[in-house]
Amino acid sequence: TLRFLLGVAEAGFFPGIILYLSYWFPAAKRAQVTAIFMAAAPLSTALGSPISAALLEMHGLLGYAGWQWMFVLEAIPAVVLGIVVLFFLTDRPAKAKWLTDEEREWLEDTMQAEELARAAKQSHSSVWRGLADMRVLALALVYFGTSAGLYTLGIWSPQIIKSFGASSMEIGFLNALPAIFGVIGMILWARHSDRTKERNWHVIGACLLAAAGLVYAGSVSTLFTVIIALTIVTVGISASKPPLWSMPTLFLSGPAAAAGIATINSIGNLGGFVGPMMIGVIRQQTGSYTWGLYFVAGLLALSALIVLILSAKGNKSPAADIPHPHTH
């Protein structure tokens, strides 16, 4: 019940942030800005894994289990930051008192011009038109594959590392290594996507890299090689998300953008249930992680194929129409 309530509470956070970034940052910079925001996920793994391992050692303190200490202490920063955000962040640049008048005026003019240009090209401005757009459903399926890969890492990576005989503390530090490389790869790949004004092939390439890493992870036999494989997977999945999330606001605006992003997130997150569950089911049947990892690799390959089909139908990347913001 608590896990369900947590899901309800956080369901609007991620799509809300993606929409929020589209109010503040021009399209030409959106992939790398999204990457900086999404770097929090692998960074939380890099920092959280050893911290969580240490907190688990508090088992029995004041009569509480180690996992209970971990839950409570790791929740405190989210509560504090939630209060800070409420008072510090504003919905639009026009209300930001921490910007100078010149900065505020330039940003408002740039974002308004971009919004008008997009609205003139697209008729998808209503909620229902956004929900019915086939590109939204296609991107939801793409996100389904990347979510399956992401949650597979989050849930099964420690168990896979443990199967090679690592202790809890060793698991914490070893599980952090792929995440560090994931952050670097994500930001560099997003910057390249913005610089080249291309989205489709950046998503395809990253998904295929993650799929290859999962296939490799299913065939390795040493702890060293499994860490390399998990690093490849982490870099691929992390790098796929910023260009992917930069795509909806290129063809949707207004209420349609909010509804479209929420739809992609809602349907796509089901992959976070299917991927890890299938690994557990297949492992129970076969006694090995191998075919479960192959299954998730197949989902990521399917994500790449869907983007390829979208690219072929559109004849070019939507990002080709991204205007570069003018400077003073």
Side-chain angles (χ1 to χ4, degrees):
T1 301
L2 285 172
R3 183 62 187 88
F4 172 77
L5 293 175
L6 173 63
V8 171
E10 71 176 0
F13 174 75
F14 184 82
I17 291 293
I18 296 299
L19 182 66
Y20 184 78
L21 294 178
S22 73
Y23 294 160
W24 280 80
F25 297 93
K29 297 291 184 183
R30 208 162 290 157
Q32 56 187 298
V33 168
T34 303
I36 293 171
F37 161 65
M38 296 192 70
L43 274 176
S44 69
T45 300
L47 297 174
S49 287
I51 290 174
S52 297
L55 292 177
L56 288 174
E57 298 298 319
M58 296 173 65
H59 187 78
L61 182 64
L62 300 180
Y64 292 100
W67 66 266
Q68 291 175 306
W69 280 111
M70 182 180 70
F71 274 32
V72 171
L73 294 178
E74 292 187 359
I76 291 174
V79 174
V80 173
L81 287 171
I83 296 172
V84 171
V85 164
L86 184 63
F87 290 98
F88 181 71
L89 291 186
T90 59
D91 290 341
R92 299 277 184 166
K95 299 178 181 179
K97 296 180 180 179
W98 38 270
L99 290 174
T100 66
D101 291 340
E102 187 181 19
E103 290 170 337
R104 194 181 303 114
E105 182 179 351
W106 175 85
L107 188 54
E108 284 185 82
D109 290 345
T110 299
M111 299 308 297
Q112 186 176 20
E114 198 171 89
E115 180 73 16
L116 291 173
R118 182 166 58 249
K121 292 182 179 180
Q122 303 292 338
S123 59
H124 293 60
S125 58
S126 71
V127 169
W128 297 112
R129 292 294 293 274
L131 291 173
D133 194 306
M134 290 304 296
R135 290 171 294 185
V136 169
L137 298 178
L139 290 178
L141 292 177
V142 175
Y143 191 53
F144 184 97
T146 62
S147 293
L150 179 66
Y151 281 84
T152 291
L153 285 173
I155 294 174
W156 286 108
S157 284
Q159 297 296 321
I160 293 173
I161 296 171
K162 184 179 180 180
S163 69
F164 287 87
S167 67
S168 295
M169 190 60 71
E170 288 172 339
I171 292 170
F173 283 101
L174 290 173
N175 196 46
L177 291 176
I180 294 171
F181 287 98
V183 171
I184 297 171
M186 172 191 285
I187 293 176
L188 291 179
W189 196 238
R191 289 183 63 183
H192 187 269
S193 177
D194 279 343
R195 188 166 63 249
T196 59
K197 296 193 289 183
E198 203 285 327
R199 302 294 189 231
N200 292 327
W201 285 103
H202 281 79
V203 177
I204 293 170
C207 285
L208 291 179
L209 178 66
L214 285 168
V215 171
Y216 182 41
S219 61
V220 298
S221 57
T222 67
L223 181 58
F224 177 73
T225 51
V226 83
I227 296 299
I228 293 177
L230 292 175
T231 299
I232 294 172
V233 179
T234 304
V235 170
I237 290 174
S238 299
S240 72
K241 292 182 178 291
L244 172 61
W245 280 113
S246 298
M247 294 170 73
T249 50
L250 292 174
F251 59 87
L252 296 174
S253 61
I261 291 170
T263 300
I264 294 169
N265 187 67
S266 299
I267 296 175
N269 271 335
L270 293 175
F273 165 75
V274 173
M277 182 199 70
M278 288 303 297
I279 286 187
V281 170
I282 294 172
R283 179 173 179 259
Q284 194 171 32
Q285 297 296 322
T286 65
S288 170
Y289 291 103
T290 300
W291 285 102
L293 293 172
Y294 290 172
F295 173 82
V296 178
L299 292 179
L300 281 158
L302 181 60
S303 293
L305 178 62
I306 293 171
V307 178
L308 182 62
I309 294 171
L310 283 175
S311 174
K313 286 188 175 182
N315 296 321
K316 65 175 181 175
S317 167
D321 293 328
I322 296 176
H324 276 286
H326 62 273
T327 57
H328 286 294

